[in-house]
């Protein structure tokens, strides 16, 4: 039986975050992670536990007699899952999570933009607009998720999750405070320009959801805006 350490919850969730809104079977998810044992029953129990914590969603596809009546299970994330992931890992985290250094937008400081001060902040991360934006960003990424995952330091997957999940509200912050752009280097500015264009597209495509997103943003950052 494979060891739990070889297949962490963070690896599972980050793989799903980078493939939203696709739905994958155990085997597909395992191949994405480069783990051959993903099809074993042992991993079904792992997925069921994550589902009970609302950290991922499971859909059953009943294939009739084709597979002797056994359902095909698909795993994916919803906006509610994103909210739960943030709350689970970045609000109620243990002592080893003292400070998150976001590799995309490093100027933010947990001392200034205290994202854990409001119990409702996770709703901002898991808002419909944030979900749509992440889906569009992933779809526009020409690098395969498997390449990103396999080249990452697996011991720091939770930091990568923070970088991905926080990108929407950080883009909103930079749009409101252009002076922050001066703190970015040339490569970060290029990345910022790219993701901002995708961000603007989602504002046009989902104006009502963006309005709700803005209300949540202002509520959480009202002392700093």
């Amino acid at each position: 039986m494979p060891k739990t350490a070889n297949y962490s919850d963070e690896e599972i969730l980050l793989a799903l975050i980078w493939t939203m809104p696709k739905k994958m079977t155990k085997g597909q998810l395992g191949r994405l992670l480069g783990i051959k044992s993903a099809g074993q029953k042992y991993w079904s129990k792992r997925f069921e536990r994550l589902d009970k914590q609302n950290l991922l969603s499971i859909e059953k596809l009943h294939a009739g007699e084709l597979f002797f009546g056994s359902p095909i299970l698909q795993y994916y994330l919803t906006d509610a899952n994103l909210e739960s992931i943030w709350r689970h890992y970045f609000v109620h985290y243990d002592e080893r999570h003292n400070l998150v250094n976001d590799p995309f937008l490093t100027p933010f400081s947990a001392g200034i933009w205290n994202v854990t001060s409001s119990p409702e902040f996770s709703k901002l991360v898991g808002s419909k607009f944030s979900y749509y934006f992440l889906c569009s960003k992933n779809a526009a990424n020409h690098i395969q998720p498997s390449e990103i995952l396999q080249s990452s330091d697996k011991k720091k997957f939770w930091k990568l999750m923070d970088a991905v999940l926080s990108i929407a509200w950080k883009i909103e912050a930079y749009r409101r405070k252009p002076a922050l752009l001066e703190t970015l280097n040339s490569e970060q500015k290029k990345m910022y320009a790219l993701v901002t264009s995708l961000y603007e597209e989602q504002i046009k495509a989902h104006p009502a959801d963006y309005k709700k997103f803005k209300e949540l943003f202002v509520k959480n950052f009202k002392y700093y805006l």
Side-chain angles (χ1 to χ4, degrees):
M1 182 178 290
K3 296 180 180 179
T4 302
N6 292 335
Y7 200 55
S8 69
D9 291 351
E10 290 82 1
E11 288 175 298
I12 295 170
L13 297 174
L14 188 57
L16 290 170
I17 288 171
W18 265 326
T19 55
M20 295 189 314
K22 294 181 180 178
K23 299 178 181 180
M24 292 181 286
T25 63
K26 282 184 295 184
Q28 291 170 327
L29 185 54
R31 284 192 291 275
L32 177 65
L33 291 167
I35 299 172
K36 298 178 181 178
S37 60
Q40 296 187 14
K41 292 183 178 180
Y42 175 74
W43 301 123
S44 293
K45 295 179 181 178
R46 299 282 307 278
F47 292 147
E48 288 173 4
R49 178 174 55 79
L50 291 173
D51 179 42
K52 289 179 181 178
Q53 294 176 298
N54 197 32
L55 300 178
L56 62 76
S57 294
I58 301 177
E59 180 178 321
K60 293 183 179 181
L61 300 178
H62 294 279
E65 299 300 322
L66 185 60
F67 294 96
F68 305 100
S70 298
I72 297 174
L73 300 180
Q74 291 186 310
Y75 308 93
Y76 62 101
L77 296 180
T78 66
D79 50 333
N81 295 142
L82 296 183
E83 180 180 341
S84 295
I85 290 170
W86 181 274
R87 188 167 58 247
H88 181 80
Y89 285 99
F90 303 107
V91 177
H92 302 297
Y93 211 74
D94 60 21
E95 63 275 4
R96 63 177 172 163
H97 180 229
N98 295 319
L99 180 65
V100 176
N101 293 316
D102 188 331
F104 172 60
L105 295 175
T106 54
F108 277 88
S109 166
I112 299 174
W113 301 85
N114 189 1
V115 300
T116 62
S117 62
S118 170
E120 293 188 350
F121 186 84
S122 57
K123 294 181 181 179
L124 180 71
V125 176
S127 66
K128 286 287 185 182
F129 178 79
S130 180
Y131 179 82
Y132 293 139
F133 170 64
L134 282 176
C135 288
S136 68
K137 187 180 75 69
N138 292 342
N141 191 352
H142 299 297
I143 302 176
Q144 293 296 319
S146 56
E147 295 180 26
I148 302 174
L149 292 164
Q150 291 168 15
S151 63
S152 301
D153 183 349
K154 295 185 178 181
K155 294 181 180 179
K156 298 179 180 179
F157 266 46
W158 60 271
K159 288 187 177 182
L160 293 173
M161 284 203 298
D162 166 70
V164 178
L165 291 174
S166 64
I167 191 171
W169 63 263
K170 290 188 175 181
I171 289 293
E172 182 67 23
Y174 272 63
R175 291 172 75 250
R176 289 168 177 264
K177 287 196 171 184
L180 290 171
L181 290 173
E182 298 176 4
T183 62
L184 302 180
N185 60 37
S186 58
E187 285 301 312
Q188 288 175 321
K189 286 181 179 178
K190 289 180 182 178
M191 190 182 300
Y192 174 80
L194 176 62
V195 294
T196 300
S197 64
L198 296 172
Y199 193 86
E200 297 289 350
E201 289 177 6
Q202 293 308 305
I203 291 175
K204 294 178 181 178
H206 306 282
D209 292 309
Y210 176 63
K211 181 180 179 182
K212 294 177 181 177
F213 176 83
K214 281 198 305 181
E215 291 172 352
L216 285 169
F217 181 90
V218 172
K219 183 176 182 179
N220 283 277
F221 294 125
K222 61 184 177 181
Y223 298 113
Y224 308 109
L225 294 175

